[in-house]
Amino acid sequence: MLYQALIVALIVFITVGGQELLGFTMLGRPIVIGPLVGLALGDIQTGLLIGASLETIFMGVVNIGGASSAEPGLATALAVAFAIHLHGGLGIALPIAIPLGIIGLQIKTLLYVGVVGPFASKFDSLASQGDQKGITRLHFGLWTLQWFIYALIPFFAILVGSSATQKLLEMIPTVITNGLTVAGNLLPAVGMAMLMKILWENNISVFYFLGFLIVAYFKVPLIAIAVLAIIIAVLTAQRDYQLKKMNQDIMQRPALTDNSGSQEELEEDDFFS
Amino acid sequence: MANKQNDLSKQEKKLLKQMYWRSFTLFSAVTPAKQGASGFEYTMLPFINAFYKEDEARKEAMVRQMSYFNSNVALAPFVMGITASMEKENSLKPGFNADSINAIKTSLMGPLAGIGDSVFWGVLRVIAAGIAVSLAKSGNIFAPLVFLLLFNVPIQMIRWYGGRLGYTLGSSYISKLYENGLINILTKAASIVGLTMVGAMTAQMVIFKVKWNMVVAGKTILKTQNMLDQIFIGLVPLLITLFCFYLLKKKNVSINYLIFGIILIGIVLSMLGIA
């Protein structure tokens, strides 16, 4: 049992964590994890079949930036492990996988908000000190920490068994998990505020509210907003460019007739500059 | 394009290669507040070290590149290429408007994320998975490999060439823009796109729903969320974001306090049964 727990935890660490380390190369998808766990536990065909089935079920689920409905990687690893151990097929895998997918995402969010989240300001202070080694160490250290903790779930889940696992997860007060979910939904406000600090200028601040209004009321996809904003930006840039050209023309005119050198024109020059 | 790539110096080619490899780790340490900031910084470090010789300028660039970044991973190297070429301009030309670097970065990341997510995650991944699933169901053990190759070969090509394209476009066009004095116009235009996107992302990503309703004698007489929506949809997220912005800009509050404050608010609201 210890071997099984270790190997499945390692696979979750390498695939689900590895997908985050290696730019969403899709290592953490059920279709990859299923056969891998199957191979490690000596039944690749079961792994392949369960992986394929779960891939279809979780097809719509993509884990980008925490905005998702489930974490299919952990679900697949545990479903395949339990299915092989209990000699059951897809029938036993499905009821295990679906709740685990949802719980897995909650734990992932918890780690993301509670463990990695608070380090955002540490990165800022390291940058202002010019500590490149510190940034690199923290960048990879946080990844290791986050996915090490995450990999402990399949480790203990397999060691203790599925029913005990479910009981343990139910022990966390729902008030706390709910509160962290509420906080997780609100936290992007901090990131937005930091972007606003960079971009905000009073004379163009109305565009912030324009973007907000359109999405809040019309639920327009971001890509459409982007196109709209680009159109506005192009129009503004064209107008600014024309104004600039007009200014330059006015500035240049006296300079072109400068050869005559009359007093009047010099005064005119002063007037426009 | 081919000609311009040959113009790259040996050192620049090496830097671009480093950018390709380092940019894999963009989302290694994702935080809700800054997303891929540390990965972006890690990717930019070789460029910063190559371009800036003085410690102060180096630190400034490092602080600049540690800002919020969230985009599609396949298209991120393109943004990184442009950013790197602008850092180069900034290091060579005194009086370069360094704010324009973040303005351009921010205005690009949203639209590219929209395009990338729908094309690569929505279409390419689904096609690759569909083919692999049918192979797996017939017992073919190469199904995972087929899936990974179908998905990653196009993605890696876009990442490799996108970074180079961004860098060469950036260095040639942006220096010309700078000489003409057009960079201010471009920065303003980019800031308009950036701010609009930030507003749109605020509405989409900052989420708050009131669960608490006014109940008298077992009857719900007032649904708080409905009432708030009647005033203005997204009122609470908007106010919270503006308040964070106010605290950051006017009060110089550390983002750590903001993050912990929001976590605390979430738990308290949950305990009170409000959210």
Side-chain angles (χ1 to χ4, degrees):
Chain A
M1 216 52 185
L2 187 67
Y3 162 77
Q4 289 190 359
L6 269 176
I7 195 83
V8 175
L10 189 68
I11 289 175
V12 168
F13 184 76
I14 291 172
T15 54
V16 182
Q19 146 155 305
E20 309 272 326
L21 182 69
L22 299 174
F24 296 113
T25 31
M26 295 295 147
L27 286 174
R29 296 300 302 180
I31 186 77
V32 181
I33 293 182
L36 264 180
V37 173
L39 184 71
L41 302 185
D43 187 353
I44 192 166
Q45 284 301 329
T46 303
L48 201 58
L49 280 178
I50 293 173
S53 300
L54 293 180
E55 180 66 50
T56 335
I57 293 165
F58 289 117
M59 187 83 91
V61 173
V62 196
N63 286 291
I64 299 164
S68 179
S69 56
E71 202 288 282
L74 176 78
T76 309
L78 286 175
V80 172
F82 284 127
I84 291 174
H85 183 67
L86 303 170
H87 301 291
L90 199 61
I92 194 160
L94 280 189
I96 296 171
I98 292 179
L100 277 174
I102 296 161
I103 291 167
L105 180 76
Q106 278 176 350
I107 294 170
K108 198 180 158 204
T109 311
L110 251 145
L111 293 175
Y112 162 73
V113 175
V115 176
V116 184
F119 282 96
S121 58
K122 180 72 184 162
F123 273 123
D124 275 336
S125 66
L126 285 173
S128 60
Q129 288 158 16
D131 185 354
Q132 302 199 351
K133 270 188 189 154
I135 288 170
T136 308
R137 223 177 286 143
L138 193 61
H139 180 57
F140 290 106
L142 285 176
W143 174 80
T144 315
L145 179 71
Q146 186 182 2
W147 298 105
F148 176 76
I149 298 173
Y150 195 73
L152 289 177
I153 307 162
F155 180 76
F156 285 112
I158 290 178
L159 216 57
V160 187
S162 63
S163 61
T165 308
Q166 204 146 5
K167 270 181 201 147
L168 192 77
L169 289 166
E170 280 162 7
M171 265 165 57
I172 304 173
T174 42
V175 177
I176 302 291
T177 48
N178 182 46
L180 284 170
T181 312
V182 172
N185 284 334
L186 284 176
L187 274 174
V190 181
M192 295 304 122
M194 281 185 296
L195 285 179
M196 285 157 77
K197 205 179 157 192
I198 297 166
L199 295 166
W200 193 271
E201 271 170 58
N202 284 334
N203 58 347
I204 57 165
S205 60
V206 284
F207 289 105
Y208 173 78
F209 297 99
L210 178 74
F212 188 93
L213 178 95
I214 295 174
V215 169
Y217 274 86
F218 305 111
K219 304 276 173 233
V220 175
L222 283 186
I223 183 75
I225 308 271
V227 175
L228 179 76
I230 290 166
I231 291 170
I232 295 170
V234 168
L235 289 175
T236 315
Q238 279 174 344
R239 196 203 56 194
D240 286 352
Y241 181 66
Q242 273 164 357
L243 278 173
K244 190 179 150 60
K245 246 172 111 181
M246 274 166 65
N247 273 335
Q248 275 174 346
D249 285 351
I250 293 164
M251 297 275 279
Q252 274 166 3
R253 219 171 282 148
L256 286 173
T257 51
D258 205 34
N259 293 338
S260 64
S262 84
Q263 197 65 32
E264 240 175 278
E265 272 158 345
L266 282 175
E267 273 171 23
E268 201 182 355
D269 201 358
D270 282 345
F271 178 78
F272 280 111
S273 58
Chain B
M1 215 55 251
N3 285 335
K4 276 189 186 135
Q5 288 211 8
N6 292 336
D7 290 345
L8 291 171
S9 72
K10 217 175 176 184
Q11 188 208 17
E12 283 176 314
K13 276 183 184 162
K14 196 184 152 210
L15 286 172
L16 284 170
K17 216 174 270 174
Q18 276 182 296
M19 183 175 88
Y20 171 78
W21 291 113
R22 285 182 174 228
S23 66
F24 270 109
T25 73
L26 181 61
F27 291 120
S28 291
V30 183
T31 64
K34 311 262 274 184
Q35 300 289 339
S38 75
F40 203 96
E41 175 88 291
Y42 177 67
T43 311
M44 281 299 138
L45 285 179
F47 290 94
I48 290 172
N49 288 335
F51 297 154
Y52 297 99
K53 296 301 164 208
E54 287 165 32
D55 267 2
E56 271 316 300
R58 211 171 261 185
K59 280 180 196 169
E60 264 173 41
M62 285 173 67
V63 170
R64 187 162 50 240
Q65 295 306 341
M66 197 52 102
S67 62
Y68 180 97
F69 184 80
N70 192 10
S71 193
N72 181 273
V73 278
L75 297 176
F78 178 71
V79 184
M80 289 164 172
I82 288 180
T83 309
S85 71
M86 290 185 80
E87 286 290 356
K88 188 185 174 192
E89 290 301 312
N90 189 37
S91 72
L92 294 174
K93 297 202 171 73
F96 185 91
N97 183 0
D99 290 341
S100 63
I101 301 175
N102 266 331
I104 287 184
K105 187 171 142 185
T106 308
S107 68
L108 283 173
M109 70 188 189
L112 290 181
I115 296 166
D117 287 354
S118 55
V119 173
F120 304 128
W121 305 156
V123 181
L124 182 60
R125 181 185 60 91
V126 172
I127 293 171
I131 293 169
V133 163
S134 62
L135 280 176
K137 292 224 158 146
S138 64
N140 190 327
I141 53 164
F142 291 111
L145 209 63
V146 169
F147 169 70
L148 290 175
L149 285 176
L150 279 178
F151 180 76
N152 279 302
V153 169
I155 294 270
Q156 296 317 318
M157 283 173 67
I158 289 162
R159 294 187 60 249
W160 176 264
Y161 289 108
R164 288 174 173 240
L165 182 70
Y167 189 78
T168 43
L169 270 184
S171 56
S172 56
Y173 281 81
I174 287 165
S175 66
K176 245 182 237 162
L177 288 173
Y178 180 76
E179 278 157 24
N180 295 339
L182 290 178
I183 198 82
N184 289 332
I185 292 174
L186 193 76
T187 305
K188 186 180 163 193
S191 298
I192 287 174
V193 180
L195 259 187
T196 313
M197 294 309 294
V198 174
M201 288 191 285
T202 306
Q204 200 179 58
M205 289 163 46
V206 186
I207 301 159
F208 184 80
K209 284 260 181 295
V210 182
K211 275 187 196 156
W212 180 82
N213 293 320
M214 197 177 276
V215 180
V216 174
K219 262 188 168 177
T220 305
I221 57 162
L222 185 77
K223 285 192 171 159
T224 322
Q225 188 60 49
N226 285 0
M227 194 190 71
L228 284 173
D229 285 348
Q230 275 168 16
I231 301 170
F232 189 82
I233 292 176
L235 184 66
V236 178
L238 182 64
L239 290 178
I240 287 178
T241 311
L242 288 174
F243 187 58
C244 287
F245 173 53
Y246 166 77
L247 291 177
L248 269 180
K249 182 156 183 166
K250 300 280 179 198
K251 303 279 173 193
N252 274 321
V253 174
S254 131
I255 62 163
N256 230 0
Y257 287 117
L258 290 181
I259 290 168
F260 280 117
I262 286 180
I263 291 176
L264 206 69
I265 288 171
I267 291 172
V268 168
L269 287 177
S270 168
M271 281 174 163
L272 296 175
I274 294 174

